[in-house]
Amino acid sequence: MTQSREQRFGVYVHVPFCTTRCDYCDFATWTDRAHMIGDYVDACIADLARRAPAPPATSVFFGGGTPSLLDADDLVRILDAIDRAPGAEVTVECNPDSVDPAKFAAYAAGGVNRVSLGVQSMRAHVLVALGRTHDAANVARAVGWARDAGIDRVNVDLIYGTPGERVADWEATLDAALALEPSHVSAYALTVEPGTPLGRGIAAGERPAPDDDDQATKYEIADDRLRDAGFEWYEISNWARPGEECRHNLLYWDGGEYAAIGCAAHGHTLDPDLGLSRRWWNVRTPERYVDAVRAGAPTEAGSEELDASASEAEQLMLALRMRTGIKLDAGNADSPEMRQCTDSLVAIGLLEQHGTTASLTRRGRLLANEVAARLLTAHDAVVQRVAPATTSSGARPEPSGAR
């Protein structure tokens, strides 16, 4: 039986250490803090111990950074400090260069039952362009080692649209990834973030920018190849074999509750009776996180409370990303403004209606930001009509650690 979001609880653990920084990465990661790993692990464990009682976690996700840089015993020590429900999903993000058979065996013995491999591409020149250090052979070995340890749930993370990546390169990457028989595939368009080496190179005219049409073509190729291989899309950038969806990421997209452990991690709580939610984020650097825990001080750097209207708008945007889609018969979605908007989006082929729900068509997935903007405009019009004096809105970011 599928659990409601109120029955689920997640824990996200951020591991901010990397050996090298990829050219496109703007995550909270550091390549010169390896000397802090022991203190950081201890701080995560102490932070878990001092928190108010929480429901047993139905999912745990170690993200980063490179969680697989930790000694397996250290990662399992953090995991042991988390109260988990029977059958909880436990995912660890891994770099193919920082794993071995012993590490996967220790993970499995400690309760890890899912790994997510940062593959990005299976073509050497594309990996070089992204600043990655592994090769395709490392990926195949890592998948084999995970399975040998009894970890059958394997996700491969891919990136498409890197300048210099031909369509044939992307097709070869997909074919090589599918040959490994993963249970889940994530595929993201390369995004250029200011301040990254990639972003600076493009701004200076030294490197070409990704091409939107090229990325759209490659998304469609991925969708076709993955569907033909038995995968179903269940979120814009995620495909899974039946029953192999990432339960932790579904918790994010369903607007459920999750705790934030580690620097820069985000957490979320909700009051379903009042329709209110609170999101918070921890201090960004590992030094500040360790110091705060040692001092018995809060690790939060900031927070945001969303009223019922803003919470509904955020959930609308998250639901739009999913195959299950948005509900047309609940809340502000069941209003003349929203009905007119969804009807127009259906008419132009960006949404398809299934009874009382509507989901993105493939063309709609390629134009998801435009669809979201139209729906938000309609939603805000409803709010202004119903309660103009009490309207509030909150930022609607992608949940931290969603993979």
Side-chain angles (χ1 to χ4, degrees), residues 131-160:
R132 301 289 291 183
T133 60
H134 69 268
D135 58 31
N138 289 11
V139 175
R141 283 194 293 268
V143 171
W145 291 335
R147 292 211 171 102
D148 288 345
I151 302 174
D152 295 322
R153 301 188 67 203
V154 176
N155 171 59
V156 294
D157 256 345
L158 304 176
I159 288 179
Y160 57 89

Side-chain angles (χ1 to χ4, degrees), residues 82-99:
I82 299 171
D83 183 23
R84 307 192 302 279
E89 175 187 88
V90 181
T91 303
V92 178
E93 288 188 334
C94 299
N95 186 314
D97 284 346
S98 59
V99 291

Side-chain angles (χ1 to χ4, degrees), residues 32-104:
D32 59 351
R33 303 289 196 276
H35 61 282
M36 292 191 62
I37 289 178
D39 290 339
Y40 187 83
V41 169
D42 290 342
C44 289
I45 294 170
D47 195 13
L48 284 159
R50 70 179 183 163
R51 288 176 178 267
T58 53
S59 64
V60 180
F61 198 104
F62 288 84
T66 310
S68 56
L69 277 183
L70 299 185
D71 287 342
D73 289 345
D74 282 338
L75 187 142
V76 171
R77 283 203 299 130
I78 298 174
L79 183 57
D80 283 344
I82 299 171
D83 183 23
R84 307 192 302 279
E89 175 187 88
V90 181
T91 303
V92 178
E93 288 188 334
C94 299
N95 186 314
D97 284 346
S98 59
V99 291
D100 56 41
K103 184 165 286 188
F104 280 128

